[in-house]
Amino acid sequence: MSDPAPPSLAERLEQRVAAQPVPPRTSRLAEIIAARGTLRRLRDAGYGSAQLAAWLEECGVPVQAGTLRAYLARIDRAERALAAENLGAPPSDREILAACRQGFIRDAARSRPALRVSKTGRAPGSVQAAPRAFATPMSSLTHNPHRDL
């Protein structure tokens, strides 16, 4: 008798997928927003950002301490702003996430330096090329466009 053929790669992948369900996709920021109450309580109790980041990594949410600090500050600002807009009703996680993302977009746009153009139509410090008529002529003896081929 002959041995059965080993399963193909596709069959092995299908078996793996059947054994492990697909986890829902969430961003780190969304997961931190969902746990913000606990994180805030731990932070107020005296735990540092490094310790909280280490615990989050153990729970499957890898994040740097500085990033966690920035996220928590942004979440607090967004939550306060949304609570001021909607008097009485606490904001939902989805609203906080949307506000945080808008803040990231706004900050990214603000961090790009604006290109100032002078009255001549050039950016300051830029060098204008000499007109072609005044360019130094290149002879075929010194310039060979095919030499780098």
Side-chain angles (χ1 to χ4, degrees):
M1 275 197 181
S2 66
D3 291 328
S8 69
L9 176 61
E11 292 169 342
R12 287 182 290 174
L13 285 173
E14 290 297 331
Q15 290 171 356
R16 171 80 49 123
V17 168
Q20 293 180 349
V22 178
R25 287 183 55 152
T26 56
S27 69
R28 284 187 199 124
L29 179 60
E31 291 181 10
I32 292 171
I33 288 171
R36 73 185 179 278
T38 304
L39 291 169
R40 193 175 290 141
R41 191 168 18 87
L42 292 171
R43 184 181 57 187
D44 293 343
Y47 290 101
S49 298
Q51 182 66 47
L52 294 175
W55 287 345
L56 284 171
E57 188 161 356
E58 289 174 9
C59 294
V61 182
V63 64
Q64 298 292 320
T67 304
L68 178 62
R69 239 186 339 269
Y71 280 0
L72 290 174
R74 185 172 298 277
I75 290 167
D76 289 345
R77 282 193 308 269
E79 198 169 12
R80 280 194 306 271
L82 289 169
E85 287 178 8
N86 306 332
L87 298 174
S92 69
D93 291 354
R94 178 172 262 158
E95 291 172 329
I96 294 170
L97 179 62
C100 287
R101 287 187 174 153
Q102 282 295 350
F104 289 136
I105 293 169
R106 207 173 25 252
D107 289 350
R110 201 176 316 144
S111 69
R112 293 187 184 140
L115 180 64
R116 294 185 181 148
V117 179
S118 66
K119 292 179 183 177
T120 61
R122 293 182 296 145
S126 63
V127 178
Q128 185 175 4
R132 187 80 175 136
F134 300 112
T136 309
M138 298 189 103
S139 72
S140 59
L141 296 175
T142 58
H143 176 70
N144 182 356
H146 304 289
R147 72 170 177 231
D148 295 332
L149 292 180

